[in-house]
Amino acid sequence: MSKRGRPRKGQGAVYERANSTILQVWYRDQKGDIQRESTGTSDRQEAERFLRDRLDARDEGRLPTVLSSKQMTFSQLADWFLERRSKPPFRSAGNHQQNLNAMKFLRPVFGTVALSDITAEAIEEYLAERLRCGRRVHTKRGLELRGTVKPATVHQEFRILSHMLNVAVKQKRLSDNPVGR
């Protein structure tokens, strides 16, 4: 027998847990440790596709990025970005203030969403909704909606979101930017 013991059986499999219709997968990561994940579907073909995608990501060296983007939320990325990449000396104090203002509108929409679940369609929907909604103005009587938001304001928020996601890709927290250029 070799030093490593008995040879391994397979690279991964799809299985069904007791009392659940959602299929699960197990596979070995780059270190050889077993990873278990839910596929989020009850269709066996989709689950097999999910497993193949994970194995391909492992073979290409992208698996840690895929797993970290599934675990990290937009709000956690925003906190990290505002603390480490938005303040001087990386950006001016004015840019930092613009980033803080943009987060007031981005966090309620994307805050609890995992980075891997942010899609181009969700971003387009946010931009359209933001253009439709009214401008918030603080008065003596409280918060009022007056007029509409200018397209330049929405574009600035889009630019900040795109920059944040590009930084996440460079930091290997996201496999690709859903904004795309």
Side-chain angles (χ1 to χ4, degrees):
M1 222 162 154
S2 69
K3 288 183 182 180
R4 301 183 83 157
R6 201 168 32 162
R8 294 184 177 147
K9 290 184 181 178
Q11 294 295 314
V14 176
Y15 65 96
E16 188 175 324
R17 293 180 70 181
N19 302 326
S20 176
T21 59
I22 304 297
L23 295 170
Q24 308 286 318
V25 295
W26 73 265
Y27 55 90
R28 294 190 184 276
D29 62 8
Q30 291 164 324
K31 298 177 201 170
D33 297 333
I34 293 177
Q35 298 289 323
R36 290 183 172 84
E37 280 188 74
S38 170
T39 61
T41 183
S42 58
D43 182 26
R44 178 144 312 258
Q45 288 182 337
E46 284 184 43
E48 293 283 347
R49 198 171 309 120
F50 180 88
L51 176 61
R52 282 194 304 274
D53 290 342
R54 287 294 192 258
L55 292 174
D56 288 344
R58 178 200 62 194
D59 295 341
E60 294 168 5
R62 296 182 297 118
L63 186 61
T65 304
V66 170
L67 294 178
S68 68
S69 69
K70 188 174 179 180
Q71 295 168 352
M72 184 177 229
T73 64
F74 177 81
S75 187
Q76 291 170 331
L77 175 67
D79 291 338
W80 179 87
F81 179 79
L82 289 173
E83 184 62 33
R84 303 239 175 115
R85 292 298 179 101
S86 179
K87 293 179 180 178
F90 282 104
R91 298 283 180 261
S92 69
N95 273 0
H96 179 63
Q97 188 58 46
Q98 290 175 349
N99 292 342
L100 288 172
N101 289 337
M103 288 307 136
K104 290 178 187 175
F105 297 99
L106 291 170
R107 276 187 205 250
V109 177
F110 298 111
T112 59
V113 178
L115 289 180
S116 61
D117 295 339
I118 296 175
T119 62
E121 293 82 21
I123 294 170
E124 287 294 324
E125 187 177 316
Y126 164 75
L127 296 174
E129 180 62 32
R130 187 79 173 100
L131 283 170
R132 281 193 298 267
C133 74
R135 198 180 79 209
R136 302 187 323 182
V137 178
H138 292 279
T139 63
K140 290 180 182 178
R141 291 174 266 157
L143 189 66
E144 293 182 5
L145 295 177
R146 293 185 183 168
T148 58
V149 178
K150 293 182 180 178
T153 304
V154 177
H155 179 72
Q156 184 176 14
E157 292 170 10
F158 173 73
R159 183 182 53 77
I160 291 168
L161 175 63
S162 176
H163 179 67
M164 278 181 56
L165 295 175
N166 280 333
V167 169
V169 169
K170 287 179 186 173
Q171 293 288 320
K172 304 236 185 271
R173 296 168 188 230
L174 189 62
S175 57
D176 61 336
N177 189 345
V179 172
R181 290 192 183 240

